[in-house]
Amino acid sequence: MTFKSFFLFFSLLLALLYFNKSKAQINIMGKPGYMITPSADWLEGQPLGFTFSYIPSEYSKNILFTPRITTENTPLNFYNVRATLTSFFEVNLSIAYRPEINNKIGVGDRQLDFRFRLLKEKEFWPSIVLGWTPPGSDSPVLAHDYLVATKHLNTTFGNFSTSLGYGSPYVFSKKRTGKFLDLKVQKKNELYGEQYLSGFYGAFSYMPVNFAGIMVEYDTQTMNAGAFIKVKDWLYLQAYTFEGKEIAFTTSLNFSLNFAPHTLRRYEKKLD
Amino acid sequence: MLCLLGFSTQAQDFKDSLRIAGFENVQIVEAHDSIKVFFEHREFRNPYYSMRFAGLVVNTKSLEETEDVSYIPVYHNIPIGKYNSEDYEYSVLNKDEKEFYNRQNEVFKNYRFSIRIHPEVISRFGFYSDPFQTKFNLNLDTRIYIARGLSVQTGIAVPIVNNLDNQSLQLRPAPSMVHYFNQPWNYNFIAASVGSFYNNRYGLDLEYRHADLSKRWSYGVAGGITGFYWFNGMNLYNEPMDDLYLTADVEYRLPIENLNLKLTAGQFLYKDKGVRLDLIKQFAAAEIGLFASATNAGTTTGFQFAFSLFPGKIIRTRKLEVRTTEEFRWEYTYNNVDPVGQNFRLGMPRLSDVLRQYNQHFLHSL
């Protein structure tokens, strides 16, 4: 073993040992993830998130296909709220808004779903998250259920993360009886023609510095690539392309909810 | 004698410092190795922070290490319980402490005139012609204590935006009520309100709750008889007071990261019978809850959140205070057509929402 390869091997080992809190960026629907796909990351210490995302008209039907209302392709916006209630349970609320045709669809489709962290990331184990959309919606057009594993590798030349997931191609649809839990299981693409997160997906990101990174993913339909920047601890911006053709972006704000009232913080500052 | 004089000047010193820091109705019981501080702090929602604040103020006044400090937070002029400053362990007040408080509790002298800025946001999403219908008012109100546990809350509502309904943008009276709060026996709390409330309801509202704040279980009943009212400027329209609600609930604090489960059953507003299940997570600065209801009117799910508005104190002098509300609460229901399992808001937090903050398990976790 030459000195150089020994050094590389040794620094890689050392890099594996310093294992810090995962810093996650956020996907289109406000969940820890990449661009379109969710990951198994967990935002520690920031239980509240607000995310806005823009998807160009050409690719909007990949996420939300609504031929029953309109076949027009128009830009799609997502407004998302995320609340992490425990270290293993998270709730997400999304509103899919099409500003150009709001007179036809109103505020848009609403989506409520949960994320469960089944496994925390360990030195050699990935974190595993189960995403679940509770059945019962009248039009579960945004419903997605998935299992995803994410592993981080923090090295001296940057932080890598990779995810592999599987999204269920089935959805619970409501029978027309109007009863709350009168459900049947249907294939997503047979019900509405939805394709979002049906099948295997994978993603990879690299942060050469602690405030920015690049990423690439296969979201079950297209290959997407982009970059993100951490402007503040609580503010992430990202821009990416669908198949190198159209540009989309996401802005995400994430906050702590364990802080003292303003008056008390000011008093404590004065004491120091 | 000299020694007593020494104590009383120190106590007076503490009282003054605490009052300047925003505390009201401050009473101090000093013994040779312990100090008990009664106080009300209306700006903070979470008593953990008012106790921590009191501790900072008192400790900077060079307390001796051996002194045992406990706090007795007062809510709506009624002491809730005694908390040890070390680990926030809860205990009930003894007879002497209660008598001392009653002697010292001079409601007109011990409080500031407090003006509270309390926003009210009512939204309805989803109508195609106007997807974001919102009514937004800034309510400026005050609470004046008139006797032990008895207070009057009143003020004016300043409408800012309204594209929800045809209520005018003229100034109108804010919800105004006479309110009585008490803990007649240890662990047992009652609250009664008469007047006009939020959600266009007026009438009578009663709540009872049993909550040993060192335990995980609590339960309560609530009931009221109300009618619809509506102000357009100063013009009042009202319907008869004939809608009875009566619900009972059980709440359990799960041993998991400040999660609470609450099951409420009974007759809700608009004579709607059914159940509602709440999952409530308490953070230090906020509360986030999910709920599901199933009643005669249908089923629904939704979420709610509550937090103190920034910045809190705006102006504070010896006799006057202007502040933002200690609790802004908002609830979103997925089913926004039929009112399922509805209740109205009083204009102050309901008993279960207040007492949840005082649970020793919660305070200990912070």
Side-chain angles (χ1 to χ4, degrees):
Chain A
M1 196 183 268
T2 63
F3 177 73
K4 201 179 158 194
S5 59
F6 175 77
F7 180 78
L8 262 175
F9 176 67
F10 193 74
S11 54
L12 214 87
L13 266 183
L14 264 182
L16 276 172
L17 287 176
Y18 94 85
F19 189 82
N20 62 359
K21 213 163 65 174
S22 60
K23 294 187 194 74
Q25 69 271 16
I26 304 289
N27 81 351
I28 44 159
M29 280 199 237
K31 302 167 177 65
Y34 299 87
M35 291 153 277
I36 306 301
T37 60
S39 71
D41 280 335
W42 207 260
L43 274 152
E44 308 281 356
Q46 291 180 323
L48 183 67
F50 299 97
T51 303
F52 169 80
S53 60
Y54 162 86
I55 293 123
S57 47
E58 290 79 358
Y59 286 89
S60 70
K61 68 176 189 306
N62 286 12
I63 318 296
L64 178 63
F65 189 56
T66 45
R68 72 197 191 285
I69 292 167
T70 175
T71 49
E72 285 176 72
N73 276 327
T74 64
L76 177 63
N77 293 344
F78 274 102
Y79 293 87
N80 310 285
V81 182
R82 173 186 61 85
T84 307
L85 297 189
T86 70
S87 57
F88 57 87
F89 174 54
E90 186 170 285
V91 189
N92 293 275
L93 186 83
S94 297
I95 292 174
Y97 183 54
R98 289 186 187 264
E100 287 181 14
I101 52 164
N102 62 11
N103 55 343
K104 285 186 195 153
I105 62 164
V107 72
D109 286 291
R110 293 169 291 174
Q111 157 80 1
L112 176 80
D113 58 45
F114 302 133
R115 289 174 81 236
F116 297 93
R117 177 154 73 167
L118 306 181
L119 208 64
K120 260 188 186 175
E121 188 169 349
K122 301 271 164 56
E123 198 174 339
F124 296 108
W125 270 103
S127 52
I128 295 178
V129 158
L130 174 74
W132 180 60
T133 304
S137 166
D138 285 325
S139 64
V141 285
L142 287 166
H144 53 291
D145 306 300
Y146 57 92
L147 193 66
V148 59
T150 298
K151 184 82 195 84
H152 289 262
L153 189 63
N154 299 334
T155 69
T156 44
F157 43 91
N159 297 349
F160 297 90
S161 112
T162 181
S163 292
L164 189 67
Y166 178 72
S168 160
Y170 296 94
V171 64
F172 287 98
S173 68
K174 221 167 161 176
K175 287 185 190 162
R176 290 274 165 217
T177 55
K179 283 194 190 135
F180 186 48
L181 285 175
D182 206 356
L183 304 163
K184 61 178 175 183
V185 176
Q186 258 183 299
K187 273 212 147 180
K188 263 187 188 181
N189 57 5
E190 284 169 14
L191 180 64
Y192 295 115
E194 288 300 335
Q195 292 290 342
Y196 177 61
L197 224 60
S198 307
F200 281 100
Y201 67 91
F204 177 79
S205 87
Y206 171 51
M207 287 179 82
V209 286
N210 64 9
F211 62 88
I214 50 170
M215 54 197 164
V216 59
E217 72 180 2
Y218 173 68
D219 70 3
T220 73
Q221 296 170 82
T222 57
M223 285 295 289
N224 317 313
F228 61 92
I229 179 161
K230 189 178 85 178
V231 182
K232 296 269 178 202
D233 270 338
W234 49 270
L235 176 64
Y236 275 89
L237 304 178
Q238 60 164 271
Y240 57 96
T241 71
F242 286 91
E243 303 179 311
K245 289 174 189 156
E246 294 291 332
I247 290 179
F249 61 83
T250 299
T251 306
S252 183
L253 293 80
N254 298 284
F255 302 104
S256 160
L257 287 175
N258 287 318
F259 52 85
H262 180 64
T263 312
L264 177 56
R265 273 180 287 149
R266 278 225 326 232
Y267 186 84
E268 284 175 334
K269 227 176 187 175
K270 256 196 341 217
L271 285 183
D272 291 340
Chain B
M1 186 62 211
L2 257 180
C3 183
L4 265 177
L5 202 68
F7 280 145
S8 63
T9 50
Q10 193 190 16
Q12 191 55 46
D13 199 19
F14 288 158
K15 274 172 97 164
D16 290 341
S17 312
L18 285 165
R19 202 177 301 137
I20 291 165
F23 293 83
E24 294 172 295
N25 205 2
V26 180
Q27 311 300 343
I28 292 177
V29 184
E30 259 192 314
H32 69 282
D33 60 349
S34 76
I35 174 167
K36 292 167 199 157
V37 189
F38 288 81
F39 61 78
E40 184 157 349
H41 199 288
R42 291 196 258 182
E43 178 189 340
F44 294 171
R45 181 172 172 275
N46 183 343
Y48 169 77
Y49 288 117
S50 48
M51 290 194 263
R52 196 168 101 186
F53 199 177
L56 282 173
V57 173
V58 171
N59 277 325
T60 50
K61 294 282 164 190
S62 68
L63 265 187
E64 283 173 43
E65 294 270 318
T66 51
E67 273 193 307
D68 179 26
V69 183
S70 41
Y71 307 117
I72 301 162
V74 174
Y75 180 78
H76 285 178
N77 198 240
I78 297 298
I80 300 286
K82 190 164 65 181
Y83 294 88
N84 175 320
S85 67
E86 290 292 307
D87 54 4
Y88 299 97
E89 198 186 23
Y90 166 84
S91 54
V92 296
L93 270 65
N94 63 35
K95 201 163 161 261
D96 289 346
E97 288 158 349
K98 284 178 190 167
E99 278 170 7
F100 170 82
Y101 175 78
N102 290 343
R103 267 200 316 275
Q104 302 291 322
N105 177 30
E106 294 176 63
V107 290
F108 293 109
K109 196 178 140 214
N110 296 351
Y111 287 93
R112 291 184 174 83
F113 182 68
S114 172
I115 297 171
R116 179 177 78 149
I117 302 172
H118 187 86
E120 184 186 8
V121 182
I122 307 157
S123 302
R124 187 166 52 193
F125 303 144
F127 282 82
Y128 296 166
S129 53
D130 193 356
F132 298 100
Q133 292 171 307
T134 305
K135 182 149 81 172
F136 175 56
N137 312 315
L138 271 185
N139 293 352
L140 306 177
D141 62 14
T142 182
R143 173 180 301 281
I144 297 165
Y145 294 104
I146 49 180
R148 186 175 182 276
L150 187 68
S151 57
V152 175
Q153 178 178 314
T154 186
I156 50 163
V158 184
I160 309 287
V161 176
N162 182 9
N163 64 354
L164 177 79
D165 56 32
N166 59 0
Q167 193 167 24
S168 85
L169 289 182
Q170 288 166 290
L171 293 181
R172 57 175 178 264
S176 304
M177 72 224 72
V178 177
H179 176 69
Y180 180 68
F181 174 60
N182 202 357
Q183 185 178 184
W185 307 278
N186 292 332
Y187 316 127
N188 293 282
F189 299 85
I190 51 165
S193 307
V194 182
S196 61
F197 308 118
Y198 283 70
N199 309 72
N200 299 105
R201 305 306 297 179
Y202 80 99
L204 169 73
D205 188 86
L206 298 168
E207 284 182 280
Y208 160 77
R209 187 153 207 91
H210 176 90
D212 177 344
L213 299 167
S214 64
K215 299 265 162 58
R216 294 186 178 276
W217 287 99
S218 73
Y219 56 83
V221 287
I225 181 149
T226 59
F228 176 85
Y229 81 99
W230 175 267
F231 270 112
N232 244 338
M234 298 306 275
N235 297 323
L236 171 68
Y237 165 79
N238 70 303
E239 287 172 6
M241 217 170 79
D242 59 0
D243 195 322
L244 174 82
Y245 93 89
L246 187 64
T247 57
D249 76 83
V250 191
E251 183 167 323
Y252 179 65
R253 163 175 294 276
L254 298 168
I256 312 163
E257 303 177 39
N258 290 323
L259 278 184
N260 300 272
L261 263 181
K262 183 182 176 189
L263 182 69
T264 311
Q267 175 164 300
F268 295 91
L269 212 52
Y270 314 119
K271 301 186 171 65
D272 180 22
K273 293 186 187 68
V275 292
R276 167 172 163 145
L277 182 67
D278 278 277
L279 176 71
I280 299 160
K281 161 81 178 190
Q282 290 172 278
F283 295 96
E287 201 171 273
I288 297 181
L290 303 175
F291 67 87
S293 320
T295 67
N296 293 342
T299 53
T300 192
T301 56
F303 66 87
Q304 58 168 331
F305 55 80
F307 59 92
S308 297
L309 276 193
F310 186 83
K313 177 202 90 174
I314 296 168
I315 301 168
R316 185 178 288 141
T317 68
R318 222 182 142 70
K319 287 279 161 206
L320 174 84
E321 173 179 78
V322 181
R323 64 180 174 95
T324 52
T325 184
E326 75 283 2
E327 181 174 298
F328 174 77
R329 186 174 284 272
W330 201 77
E331 187 170 294
Y332 172 84
T333 307
Y334 188 81
N335 178 346
N336 57 12
V337 184
D338 308 310
V340 176
Q342 295 262 303
N343 202 356
F344 55 90
R345 216 160 280 154
L346 293 170
M348 69 196 93
R350 286 191 169 274
L351 277 189
S352 63
D353 296 328
V354 173
L355 296 173
R356 194 179 299 124
Q357 311 293 320
Y358 287 87
N359 190 287
Q360 82 172 33
H361 296 285
F362 175 56
L363 297 170
H364 190 74
S365 76
L366 297 173

